[in-house]
PDB file of all heavy atoms in Angstrom:
ATOM      1  N   PRO A 373       2.473 -36.335  39.180  1.00 91.00           N
ATOM      2  CA  PRO A 373       3.092 -37.037  40.309  1.00 91.00           C
ATOM      3  C   PRO A 373       2.825 -38.539  40.242  1.00 91.00           C
ATOM      4  O   PRO A 373       1.984 -39.012  39.486  1.00 91.00           O
ATOM      5  CB  PRO A 373       2.401 -36.411  41.527  1.00 91.00           C
ATOM      6  CG  PRO A 373       1.068 -35.973  41.003  1.00 91.00           C
ATOM      7  CD  PRO A 373       1.312 -35.531  39.590  1.00 91.00           C
ATOM      8  N   VAL A 374       3.558 -39.274  41.055  1.00 92.00           N
ATOM      9  CA  VAL A 374       3.400 -40.722  41.178  1.00 92.00           C
ATOM     10  C   VAL A 374       2.656 -41.032  42.473  1.00 92.00           C
ATOM     11  O   VAL A 374       2.990 -40.464  43.524  1.00 92.00           O
ATOM     12  CB  VAL A 374       4.775 -41.419  41.182  1.00 92.00           C
ATOM     13  CG1 VAL A 374       4.631 -42.910  41.423  1.00 92.00           C
ATOM     14  CG2 VAL A 374       5.522 -41.153  39.867  1.00 92.00           C
ATOM     15  N   PRO A 375       1.705 -41.933  42.505  1.00 92.00           N
ATOM     16  CA  PRO A 375       1.095 -42.582  41.335  1.00 92.00           C
ATOM     17  C   PRO A 375      -0.096 -41.778  40.849  1.00 92.00           C
ATOM     18  O   PRO A 375      -0.854 -41.220  41.631  1.00 92.00           O
ATOM     19  CB  PRO A 375       0.644 -43.928  41.900  1.00 92.00           C
ATOM     20  CG  PRO A 375       0.255 -43.594  43.323  1.00 92.00           C
ATOM     21  CD  PRO A 375       1.190 -42.498  43.772  1.00 92.00           C
ATOM     22  N   GLU A 376      -0.278 -41.720  39.555  1.00 93.00           N
ATOM     23  CA  GLU A 376      -1.433 -41.040  38.979  1.00 93.00           C
ATOM     24  C   GLU A 376      -1.728 -41.658  37.619  1.00 93.00           C
ATOM     25  O   GLU A 376      -0.820 -42.162  36.952  1.00 93.00           O
ATOM     26  CB  GLU A 376      -1.165 -39.543  38.823  1.00 93.00           C
ATOM     27  CG  GLU A 376      -2.360 -38.753  38.328  1.00 93.00           C
ATOM     28  CD  GLU A 376      -2.134 -37.246  38.389  1.00 93.00           C
ATOM     29  OE1 GLU A 376      -1.719 -36.753  39.457  1.00 93.00           O
ATOM     30  OE2 GLU A 376      -2.374 -36.571  37.372  1.00 93.00           O
ATOM     31  N   THR A 377      -2.984 -41.627  37.239  1.00 94.00           N
ATOM     32  CA  THR A 377      -3.385 -42.113  35.921  1.00 94.00           C
ATOM     33  C   THR A 377      -3.903 -40.933  35.104  1.00 94.00           C
ATOM     34  O   THR A 377      -4.817 -40.230  35.533  1.00 94.00           O
ATOM     35  CB  THR A 377      -4.473 -43.198  36.021  1.00 94.00           C
ATOM     36  OG1 THR A 377      -3.950 -44.317  36.748  1.00 94.00           O
ATOM     37  CG2 THR A 377      -4.909 -43.652  34.625  1.00 94.00           C
ATOM     38  N   ILE A 378      -3.294 -40.719  33.949  1.00 95.00           N
ATOM     39  CA  ILE A 378      -3.672 -39.606  33.082  1.00 95.00           C
ATOM     40  C   ILE A 378      -4.641 -40.112  32.014  1.00 95.00           C
ATOM     41  O   ILE A 378      -4.293 -40.970  31.209  1.00 95.00           O
ATOM     42  CB  ILE A 378      -2.441 -38.980  32.403  1.00 95.00           C
ATOM     43  CG1 ILE A 378      -1.457 -38.446  33.455  1.00 95.00           C
ATOM     44  CG2 ILE A 378      -2.859 -37.864  31.455  1.00 95.00           C
ATOM     45  CD1 ILE A 378      -0.169 -37.912  32.855  1.00 95.00           C
ATOM     46  N   ALA A 379      -5.852 -39.586  32.033  1.00 95.00           N
ATOM     47  CA  ALA A 379      -6.841 -39.918  31.010  1.00 95.00           C
ATOM     48  C   ALA A 379      -6.830 -38.826  29.949  1.00 95.00           C
ATOM     49  O   ALA A 379      -6.971 -37.647  30.264  1.00 95.00           O
ATOM     50  CB  ALA A 379      -8.229 -40.038  31.636  1.00 95.00           C
ATOM     51  N   ASN A 380      -6.654 -39.231  28.710  1.00 94.00           N
ATOM     52  CA  ASN A 380      -6.523 -38.282  27.609  1.00 94.00           C
ATOM     53  C   ASN A 380      -7.491 -38.694  26.506  1.00 94.00           C
ATOM     54  O   ASN A 380      -7.368 -39.777  25.939  1.00 94.00           O
ATOM     55  CB  ASN A 380      -5.077 -38.297  27.101  1.00 94.00           C
ATOM     56  CG  ASN A 380      -4.792 -37.155  26.154  1.00 94.00           C
ATOM     57  OD1 ASN A 380      -5.635 -36.290  25.934  1.00 94.00           O
ATOM     58  ND2 ASN A 380      -3.610 -37.164  25.572  1.00 94.00           N
ATOM     59  N   THR A 381      -8.475 -37.843  26.192  1.00 96.00           N
ATOM     60  CA  THR A 381      -9.541 -38.194  25.251  1.00 96.00           C
ATOM     61  C   THR A 381      -9.471 -37.341  23.993  1.00 96.00           C
ATOM     62  O   THR A 381      -9.360 -36.117  24.072  1.00 96.00           O
ATOM     63  CB  THR A 381     -10.927 -38.025  25.903  1.00 96.00           C
ATOM     64  OG1 THR A 381     -11.005 -38.854  27.056  1.00 96.00           O
ATOM     65  CG2 THR A 381     -12.040 -38.412  24.929  1.00 96.00           C
ATOM     66  N   ALA A 382      -9.547 -37.993  22.849  1.00 97.00           N
ATOM     67  CA  ALA A 382      -9.625 -37.316  21.559  1.00 97.00           C
ATOM     68  C   ALA A 382     -11.050 -37.454  21.026  1.00 97.00           C
ATOM     69  O   ALA A 382     -11.652 -38.529  21.094  1.00 97.00           O
ATOM     70  CB  ALA A 382      -8.638 -37.923  20.567  1.00 97.00           C
ATOM     71  N   PHE A 383     -11.600 -36.362  20.489  1.00 97.00           N
ATOM     72  CA  PHE A 383     -12.973 -36.339  20.006  1.00 97.00           C
ATOM     73  C   PHE A 383     -13.006 -36.245  18.488  1.00 97.00           C
ATOM     74  O   PHE A 383     -12.189 -35.550  17.874  1.00 97.00           O
ATOM     75  CB  PHE A 383     -13.735 -35.161  20.618  1.00 97.00           C
ATOM     76  CG  PHE A 383     -13.980 -35.314  22.092  1.00 97.00           C
ATOM     77  CD1 PHE A 383     -13.058 -34.813  23.013  1.00 97.00           C
ATOM     78  CD2 PHE A 383     -15.106 -35.965  22.570  1.00 97.00           C
ATOM     79  CE1 PHE A 383     -13.267 -34.958  24.367  1.00 97.00           C
ATOM     80  CE2 PHE A 383     -15.324 -36.105  23.924  1.00 97.00           C
ATOM     81  CZ  PHE A 383     -14.408 -35.605  24.832  1.00 97.00           C
ATOM     82  N   PHE A 384     -13.965 -36.927  17.888  1.00 97.00           N
ATOM     83  CA  PHE A 384     -14.135 -37.019  16.444  1.00 97.00           C
ATOM     84  C   PHE A 384     -15.500 -36.462  16.071  1.00 97.00           C
ATOM     85  O   PHE A 384     -16.504 -36.783  16.715  1.00 97.00           O
ATOM     86  CB  PHE A 384     -14.019 -38.491  16.039  1.00 97.00           C
ATOM     87  CG  PHE A 384     -14.399 -38.813  14.613  1.00 97.00           C
ATOM     88  CD1 PHE A 384     -13.422 -38.974  13.645  1.00 97.00           C
ATOM     89  CD2 PHE A 384     -15.723 -39.008  14.244  1.00 97.00           C
ATOM     90  CE1 PHE A 384     -13.760 -39.310  12.341  1.00 97.00           C
ATOM     91  CE2 PHE A 384     -16.079 -39.339  12.951  1.00 97.00           C
ATOM     92  CZ  PHE A 384     -15.085 -39.488  11.998  1.00 97.00           C
TER      93      PHE A 384
END
Side-chain angles (χ1 to χ4, degrees):
V374 175
E376 184 171 310
T377 298
I378 300 175
N380 191 5
T381 301
F383 291 91
F384 170 100

